Amino acid sequence: DFETGLAWDVFAINDFNDDLIYENDYDAATGTPLGKEESIFRSGAYNDLNISLGANLKDKILMGFAVGVPFLHYESENVYVEADDANDIPIFNNLQYTKNLLSDGAGINVKLGAIWKVNSDLRVGLAYHTPTYLAITESFTNQLTYSFNETGEDETNTSASPQGDFEYGLTTPWRAIGSASYLIAKRGFVSADVEFVNYGAAKFDFTRNSDNLDDLNYQTEVNQQISDAYRATFNIRVGGEMTFNALRARAGVQLLGSPFENDTTLGKIYSAGIGYRGNKAYIDAAYVLSQEKVNYSPYQIQQASLQLVENRENRGRIAVTIGFKI
């Protein structure tokens, strides 16, 4: 009802010989170039409500405890199009496959941390973030439109799926963080964080509101795939800031280890900023450049080669912050 059934409804696939072997209009032109394009529209938010408590032991050890309640909302629309603009393929004109997804969820996590002031210049810290336990509800619909010309006149058919609904749980990986910072002659500081994340520890729970054995078996299969495909890795962040009277200058870099097994590439994020501190107001400006390689599959089908798009992403972001003291 969501994929193959739609293709059958609009005559994108047919069974001319009644042998349960399905044909399509592209079979007669295998190897002919076919234009493919996908547009993806995404929006959403991830908000966190935090209840925190801190303690100071003789101004030497600082401790913190926080309970986080995250809320998420996500919407996406994927519009995938194949078109024979050059009219090289008999009968076939174009198809458009649209997928809509709406996700809402909430969860809980706990964060623990401590900072030790070794001396007036050096501080070291440790932190532990528990997994985030999320309960997520999704609704989704698909639609397929197919256009062809078999009799000399164009024919276009559209079929839409029913709305699908599914509730599940997601447990994200836990994190451990070690950090250190050092003051430089009271003119600035340098700091470094090393974060350990075991991405293979993420798990889905498809049986929150289901006693279906198929859901349980699929949950076991997916979680095993996560364990096999993902690994533990380290993320490293180094940065610093210097003061020049009322001016501030800062820079930093993040090296993000790949979560995938047998992948040694690093995601890189560079940042630089400058700011001004006055008695009653301040202003900061920063530029952040992130670089990473992301693989994307527009669709998946059984018993066929995976359609894979490799994206090398360079994203720049400018942030300006203005504050006033009252």
Side-chain angles (χ1 to χ4, degrees):
D1 289 340
F2 289 87
E3 296 174 342
T4 316
L6 302 181
W8 175 263
D9 292 342
V10 299
F11 303 103
I13 58 173
N14 302 278
D15 185 10
F16 296 120
N17 300 318
D18 294 325
D19 55 3
L20 299 182
I21 297 176
Y22 297 92
E23 296 83 26
N24 62 75
D25 295 330
Y26 189 66
D27 287 340
T30 301
T32 301
L34 180 63
K36 301 179 180 182
E37 180 179 303
E38 183 174 28
S39 300
I40 304 172
F41 306 91
R42 295 173 177 159
S43 64
Y46 188 97
N47 300 305
D48 221 347
L49 172 66
N50 280 287
I51 303 170
S52 57
L53 177 68
N56 186 334
L57 300 181
K58 297 182 179 181
D59 205 29
K60 196 72 174 177
I61 297 178
L62 312 176
M63 296 183 296
F65 169 83
V67 176
V69 182
F71 300 92
L72 66 87
H73 174 78
Y74 176 78
E75 297 181 42
S76 71
E77 181 183 57
N78 294 41
V79 182
Y80 176 81
V81 176
E82 292 185 355
D84 178 28
D85 295 329
N87 293 320
D88 292 329
I89 304 171
I91 303 178
F92 172 78
N93 291 335
N94 58 72
L95 69 82
Q96 177 174 302
Y97 180 48
T98 303
K99 299 185 294 183
N100 289 283
L101 172 66
L102 173 63
S103 299
D104 286 290
I108 190 169
N109 58 52
V110 174
K111 300 180 179 69
L112 303 168
I115 296 174
W116 174 34
K117 292 184 178 180
V118 179
N119 53 46
S120 59
D121 295 327
L122 177 63
R123 301 181 183 188
V124 295
L126 288 174
Y128 174 74
H129 298 180
T130 70
T132 297
Y133 304 96
L134 289 162
I136 301 173
T137 300
E138 291 190 346
S139 60
F140 48 93
T141 58
N142 294 348
Q143 179 177 290
L144 182 63
T145 298
Y146 189 69
S147 176
F148 62 98
N149 189 322
E150 187 177 19
T151 61
E153 293 186 5
D154 291 340
E155 181 177 342
T156 300
N157 297 306
T158 298
S159 180
S161 74
Q163 177 174 302
D165 296 290
F166 192 62
E167 297 181 6
Y168 62 95
L170 172 63
T171 302
T172 67
W174 58 270
R175 299 168 182 264
I177 305 165
S179 61
S181 64
Y182 187 79
L183 296 176
I184 304 173
K186 297 183 179 181
R187 294 290 303 275
F189 67 88
V190 292
S191 65
D193 293 342
V194 178
E195 178 184 60
F196 175 83
V197 188
N198 183 8
Y199 293 100
K203 293 186 181 300
F204 283 102
D205 179 2
F206 296 148
T207 57
R208 287 177 53 86
N209 297 297
S210 171
D211 56 4
N212 189 311
L213 184 59
D214 289 338
D215 287 340
L216 177 60
N217 291 335
Y218 186 55
Q219 171 184 301
T220 301
E221 177 185 343
V222 169
N223 288 336
Q224 186 60 50
Q225 290 176 350
I226 292 173
S227 179
D228 293 341
Y230 293 90
R231 64 183 180 118
T233 189
F234 289 93
N235 300 322
I236 300 173
R237 303 176 181 90
V238 180
E241 179 178 284
M242 292 296 294
T243 65
F244 306 93
N245 297 322
L247 294 177
R248 306 286 191 273
R250 68 187 67 88
V253 61
Q254 297 184 49
L255 302 177
L256 308 177
S258 172
F260 298 104
E261 286 284 1
N262 304 317
D263 184 358
T264 59
T265 59
L266 291 173
K268 302 180 182 67
I269 300 178
Y270 306 96
S271 62
I274 190 169
Y276 174 82
R277 290 288 189 277
N279 293 329
K280 294 291 185 179
Y282 68 89
I283 182 170
D284 283 297
Y287 177 75
V288 180
L289 172 66
S290 59
Q291 299 175 323
E292 63 178 327
K293 182 178 72 174
V294 179
N295 291 327
Y296 175 76
S297 178
Y299 57 83
Q300 298 182 22
I301 51 178
Q302 296 180 354
Q303 301 176 347
S305 300
L306 179 66
Q307 304 297 302
L308 195 63
V309 179
E310 181 181 285
N311 295 324
R312 296 184 179 273
E313 298 184 355
N314 292 285
R315 294 192 298 271
R317 186 172 71 251
I318 297 175
V320 178
T321 303
I322 301 175
F324 302 93
K325 295 179 180 180
I326 300 176

